[in-house]
Amino acid sequence: VIKATLDALKALPVVNASTDGENIIYKQDYNIGIAVALDWGLIVPVIKNADMLSISGLARASQDLANRARAKQLKPDEISGGTFSITNFGLYGGYTATPIINQPQMAILGMGGIHKKPWVVETPDGDALAIRHIGVLSLSFDHRIIDGAVGDQFLAQVKQTIETTDWSALL
């Protein structure tokens, strides 16, 4: 999901921006905040320069930050400087939610749980009903800068990358 998000951020740079008064600041870095649930609430450590990491590097970095967050071993600079955040409200079985933007970022991607659902699939013989693993993504964004069309394009890009990438080839 982080890799798919990075691809979408590169395609739609305004989603990786922030504001300073009346000015839009387009970020050149891709510093991805990952929401981590703790006993007392959430903390959002940041994978700095995430676009420079491989899939396995992103996995190691996110796991390391989550483990150290739970052990209260994060450094102050590891929870600042994010340009975009991702949260997983599906961790405890949730399907949909509306995450709150981590200001001054412009948007946050929310991931719901992946559940088996009846789904209509197209086949050469016509439509058929099948059981598929379905996950819901949501995007909360600052409407002062990002409109619904850009938000929809961003989610479509993330979805396309997740559904069409041969992830095993990237490991």
Side-chain angles (χ1 to χ4, degrees), residues 118-141:
W119 205 255
V120 176
V121 294
E122 294 181 12
T123 71
D125 298 323
D127 292 344
L129 194 58
I131 303 299
R132 293 286 188 259
H133 286 92
I134 303 297
V136 173
L137 298 174
S138 65
L139 184 71
S140 297
F141 50 92

Side-chain angles (χ1 to χ4, degrees), residues 76-108:
D77 68 321
E78 293 177 312
I79 57 171
S80 64
T83 61
F84 184 88
S85 292
I86 301 172
T87 187
N88 180 0
F89 48 78
L91 183 63
Y92 301 108
Y95 194 62
T96 64
T98 306
I100 302 297
I101 301 166
N102 193 7
Q103 296 287 341
Q105 298 170 23
M106 290 289 100
I108 182 170

Side-chain angles (χ1 to χ4, degrees), residues 24-35:
I24 301 172
I25 301 166
Y26 290 88
K27 303 294 184 172
Q28 301 303 311
D29 295 325
Y30 296 91
N31 299 332
I32 306 299
I34 305 296

